[in-house]
Amino acid sequence: MIGGTLLVLALSGSLPLQDTVGPYARAESLLVEGELRAARQILERAVRGNRDDALAITLLGRVHLAWPVVGRFKAWDLFQRAAALDSANPEPRYLQAKVGEFLGGDDGERLIRDALYHVWRLDPDYRDTWEMWDQLYHGRRHLRRAVSILSRHGNDPATGLLRSRLLVEAGAYDSAEAILAEQVAAGRDDAAVWAVQAQAALERGDTVAGLERYEQALTQAATDSLGILWQQVRVIASPQEESMYAGTAAERREAFFRTFWARREPDLNTAVNERIAEHFVRLAHARSWYQLRHPQSVFHRSVLRRALFGGGMAGAVLAASRSFGFVGQPLPGHSRLEDQVQAAGLGVDLRDVPEPDSLTRYRRYRMDGRGLMYVRFGKPDRLWRTVGPTPAEVELWTYKLEDGWASITFARIDGGDMVVYPTSRAELHNSVLMLERDETSVEAELDVHGWVATFRGAVRSYQLVYVGAAPEAGTAAVWDVEWTELARVPGSSPFVFHVPAGAYHLGVDVRHDERLGRLRTDFAVTGLWRDRLTVSSVLVGVLADTGFTREEVARAMPGTRRLPSGDPLALYTEIYDLPADSGGVARYEVEYAFVPQRGGDEVRITFQRQVEATSIIRERVIFEPGEVPRGRYRIVVTVRAGVANRETDSTHVDVELR
């Protein structure tokens, strides 16, 4: 046993500490306090007294590990001696991995990897060795060796899951699925097994089986104690999603992941979410082609080194990028990083994408800059790279995104990995923005136009929401603010929903001539159950019959809100809880104001109404051709009650008469 365990045993006994553990407690205490010289003297004296004392040698190795500048290789040798003397104890080998972490670089990485192999021969789940493994480069040879070592421990649930994950990473999907199938057959039924099975199937292209297994994993997300579902998607998560997941309780994980993918669903017309399968295919490609080769290099661990690299390479990278002849434009929007920098009043160096801490995002995800961009946005639409002997190895990727063209420059650090290297403020803005977002490769070629109109629902507190779209045929869905899906309606515009007042996300995906159109937006539903004068939204369509219904004018209202000026124009509004006199008669004035949006004369038309008082009064009017000139208008409908001190309410809609 090592010193830490002996200390626990000594403290639980009745003998004085020094009589139980000799010099070890004092040396350990001095080591923790940073008194390295005094601790070293005690332990060297103990080792001279007994050269086979593995505990003293291990503690002495820890002292040298903490010794400034020169102690690392001496520590390695001491841990090697301790491991030979106490071959059943993984601690000395684990500490050798710590030596490699201190050294860094390719040599340090080799030391870490070799030490971990030794640890796993004794204990495949020792301490944080798998977190250390995740900070190394994984070639197929390394993965196969790790699988071989784990195989010696049989196929218990923990070891079998570790092996299957390594095999998936190596692309040996059949072998991974065979191990997991054995575990399922043996009765294991939790999120971890299903998640890895899903990843194996999706990466090798079996979308049907993969999505079925992923659904199984989501339904049992509360049992995902290893966090595998999160590890699979965190590389594309936004900063807000990272914060949300950190505070998500186990019983809420399923809801979290369902909303995570709902935000990204590319086509509401299909029964599956294509973005899930697309993500895992991208992940496998990025892991194979853009894996970080030197994660232990000082560049990925030192802010200073990154700054020096940025300054030294700036001229050569800029010259190479200009030779490509492409200049992108800033994308609309801001990243959270930009907002934080602006709020702090700080500047951002163009030469380096800022990192949230000393370790780069490349090392955290074991992907170079191209890999991080690939998993978020897929294959670039255009790619340029330097050819032949040049001062700097540079690539330029350009993407045609939903909100414009963006270019991203990558440069290779000295003998190392390709990193994001902005060459202008526009590129810096696009880089940090794109590293917080992602988009599907399922292309939406059609422009979608739409409108939302709200009326009082049949059940109190619920509203009736009409959604118009052009093109008309497709599917619409509504999510709450947490992206929980409330309803999905296939068919033709207008789509109808019943929801309470509040804020919502809206999706409308339409198809025309086999082409897809996609609309994602936010909207608010106003409560119309107020027990006072309230006016609904306005519907506008081309109808000649004065007896039209709400449904008829909703169907006649185009998604573009563009109407021919040479046809009769029908307007429909509902008035709720209009005050009445003692005889049950409601008198009101309704004004239709056509307010031009691009200059011109305003048209106002007023009507005096007297109707039988009911909770809902349907206000309908038809304007004949020529009453309103062509142009873009905001139609404002204002209702003024003829009793009860002239109560007033209004609503509006924007249209274009062509």
Side-chain angles (χ1 to χ4, degrees):
M1 301 296 289
I2 63 170
T5 304
L6 287 174
L7 283 174
V8 174
L9 294 174
L11 290 172
S12 64
S14 58
L15 293 175
L17 183 62
Q18 63 269 24
D19 293 340
T20 307
V21 296
Y24 305 131
R26 178 59 178 160
E28 177 101 30
S29 177
L30 291 169
L31 174 60
V32 171
E33 294 170 3
E35 299 291 338
L36 302 182
R37 190 175 300 278
R40 178 175 173 177
Q41 291 173 349
I42 293 173
L43 294 168
E44 285 179 341
R45 188 162 52 246
V47 172
R48 285 195 297 271
N50 181 3
R51 296 184 61 83
D52 294 336
D53 188 339
L55 175 56
I57 294 170
T58 299
L59 285 170
L60 184 57
R62 289 175 56 194
V63 171
H64 280 280
L65 182 59
W67 203 275
V69 183
V70 297
R72 311 295 183 249
F73 288 106
K74 179 64 174 178
W76 176 276
D77 290 338
L78 289 167
F79 295 142
Q80 188 81 359
R81 283 178 56 191
L85 291 167
D86 189 5
S87 59
N89 185 2
E91 181 69 5
R93 297 295 190 183
Y94 173 79
L95 292 169
Q96 282 186 319
K98 290 295 185 182
V99 173
E101 282 191 333
F102 272 104
L103 292 173
D106 291 346
D107 289 338
E109 181 166 344
R110 176 181 53 80
L111 296 178
I112 298 171
R113 187 181 291 110
D114 290 344
L116 294 181
Y117 291 150
H118 284 291
V119 170
W120 293 335
R121 289 188 179 94
L122 300 171
D123 185 347
D125 197 27
Y126 192 71
R127 292 205 183 188
D128 61 341
T129 51
W130 289 103
E131 286 79 2
M132 298 171 72
W133 171 260
D134 283 340
Q135 299 301 317
L136 306 177
Y137 168 71
H138 300 172
R140 290 184 183 272
R141 175 172 57 87
H142 308 131
L143 293 166
R144 286 195 297 267
R145 186 171 179 187
V147 169
S148 176
I149 292 170
L150 294 177
S151 298
R152 304 176 186 182
H153 297 278
N155 193 27
D156 65 272
T159 306
L161 186 63
L162 288 170
R163 288 168 57 205
S164 64
R165 296 181 70 188
L166 293 170
L167 288 166
V168 167
E169 187 176 345
Y173 303 119
D174 291 342
S175 298
E177 290 188 278
I179 293 172
L180 295 168
E182 289 181 19
Q183 296 204 352
V184 171
R188 184 172 185 183
D189 184 27
D190 60 36
V193 170
W194 290 113
V196 180
Q197 278 193 316
Q199 183 173 354
L202 290 169
E203 287 192 9
R204 65 179 169 84
D206 188 348
T207 303
V208 174
L211 291 177
E212 288 178 352
R213 293 167 183 174
Y214 197 75
E215 176 64 22
Q216 288 281 353
L218 293 185
T219 60
Q220 301 184 60
T223 66
D224 187 18
S225 59
L226 299 177
I228 291 177
L229 284 167
W230 173 245
Q231 293 172 37
Q232 290 173 330
V233 302
R234 66 191 183 109
V235 68
I236 64 169
S238 68
Q240 293 81 1
E241 288 168 333
E242 290 181 356
S243 300
M244 289 172 59
Y245 182 78
T248 298
E251 63 272 14
R252 292 287 301 160
R253 288 188 195 133
E254 179 182 356
F256 172 86
F257 287 110
R258 293 197 184 280
T259 59
F260 182 94
W261 289 116
R263 296 184 187 97
R264 294 166 168 83
E265 186 168 0
D267 189 354
L268 300 171
N269 298 293
T270 61
V272 298
N273 187 339
E274 294 85 353
R275 185 68 182 90
I276 299 174
E278 180 184 53
H279 168 68
F280 285 100
V281 172
R282 286 181 181 178
L283 193 64
H285 182 86
R287 195 172 59 236
S288 297
W289 290 92
Y290 306 121
Q291 186 180 169
L292 200 65
R293 299 284 175 167
H294 308 279
Q296 293 294 320
S297 72
V298 67
F299 175 90
H300 297 295
R301 302 191 296 173
S302 167
V303 175
L304 176 60
R305 183 57 179 266
R306 291 198 292 276
L308 292 174
F309 158 76
M313 296 287 290
V317 174
L318 185 59
S321 66
R322 285 176 175 171
S323 70
F324 300 138
F326 182 91
V327 179
Q329 298 297 317
L331 297 172
H334 286 278
S335 66
R336 187 169 79 166
L337 175 62
E338 288 174 301
D339 291 339
Q340 291 172 341
V341 168
Q342 185 176 9
L346 302 175
V348 178
D349 193 334
L350 291 178
R351 299 166 301 187
D352 180 37
V353 175
E355 299 289 348
D357 54 42
S358 59
L359 296 180
T360 64
R361 70 190 80 211
Y362 313 111
R363 177 170 163 174
R364 286 198 300 277
Y365 301 123
R366 288 193 300 110
M367 292 181 188
D368 69 15
R370 299 167 301 178
L372 294 180
M373 207 59 68
Y374 189 94
V375 293
R376 288 180 176 271
F377 293 92
K379 182 180 178 181
D381 294 284
R382 301 175 187 171
L383 186 154
W384 293 269
R385 61 167 58 95
T386 52
V387 179
T390 57
E393 186 177 347
V394 178
E395 291 187 18
L396 180 70
W397 289 18
T398 65
Y399 287 95
K400 184 181 180 182
L401 304 178
E402 290 189 355
D403 43 13
W405 279 92
S407 61
I408 307 294
T409 299
F410 306 96
R412 189 174 300 282
I413 58 178
D414 186 20
D417 299 291
M418 297 289 282
V419 299
V420 179
Y421 196 104
T423 59
S424 67
R425 288 212 170 270
E427 269 199 30
L428 175 63
H429 164 78
N430 291 345
S431 297
V432 294
L433 190 67
M434 292 173 69
L435 286 170
E436 294 182 5
R437 298 182 180 180
D438 64 284
E439 281 191 12
T440 179
S441 299
V442 179
E443 187 175 1
E445 303 173 89
L446 299 176
D447 290 332
V448 182
H449 302 272
W451 51 263
V452 176
T454 306
F455 299 85
R456 182 182 283 184
V459 178
R460 187 171 182 84
S461 298
Y462 271 72
Q463 318 307 321
L464 186 65
V465 178
Y466 288 80
V467 176
E472 296 181 352
T475 302
V478 170
W479 300 269
D480 65 15
V481 292
E482 295 183 347
W483 283 94
T484 300
E485 185 171 312
L486 303 179
R488 183 176 299 207
V489 179
S492 298
S493 171
F495 306 97
V496 182
F497 299 94
H498 297 266
V499 294
Y504 298 94
H505 304 291
L506 172 67
V508 182
D509 289 350
V510 297
R511 286 197 171 273
H512 181 71
D513 293 336
E514 302 302 319
R515 294 187 299 166
L516 174 67
R518 183 185 305 123
L519 174 66
R520 298 290 184 274
T521 190
D522 298 332
F523 73 103
V525 175
T526 303
L528 298 174
W529 292 88
R530 304 179 191 171
D531 296 322
R532 61 179 176 81
L533 174 60
T534 312
V535 181
S536 73
S537 299
V538 186
L539 297 175
V540 186
V542 173
L543 291 170
D545 184 359
T546 57
F548 54 81
T549 65
R550 180 177 61 202
E551 287 69 24
E552 287 172 335
V553 72
R555 287 195 298 269
M557 183 169 175
T560 59
R561 289 177 292 182
R562 294 173 179 169
L563 298 136
S565 60
D567 293 323
L569 198 64
L571 275 69
Y572 178 94
T573 311
E574 291 183 355
I575 305 169
Y576 307 114
D577 298 323
L578 186 69
D581 61 18
S582 58
V585 176
R587 300 179 181 86
Y588 66 96
E589 176 184 273
V590 57
E591 178 185 78
Y592 293 89
F594 291 78
V595 182
Q597 302 297 289
R598 291 185 175 179
D601 295 330
E602 184 175 299
V603 177
R604 290 181 178 269
I605 302 174
T606 303
F607 300 95
Q608 301 293 330
R609 311 288 199 198
Q610 179 174 309
V611 297
E612 180 183 353
T614 59
S615 60
I616 301 176
I617 295 174
R618 294 166 178 82
E619 170 63 28
R620 293 177 282 207
V621 66
I622 287 183
F623 292 97
E624 295 298 330
E627 289 191 71
V628 181
R630 297 176 183 176
R632 291 188 177 182
Y633 295 93
R634 167 161 291 182
I635 303 177
V636 182
V637 180
T638 303
V639 175
R640 302 181 182 93
V643 296
N645 298 321
R646 304 281 294 178
E647 291 187 32
T648 304
D649 197 16
S650 64
T651 186
H652 70 268
V653 64
D654 295 332
V655 300
E656 181 178 2
L657 302 182
R658 307 184 71 180

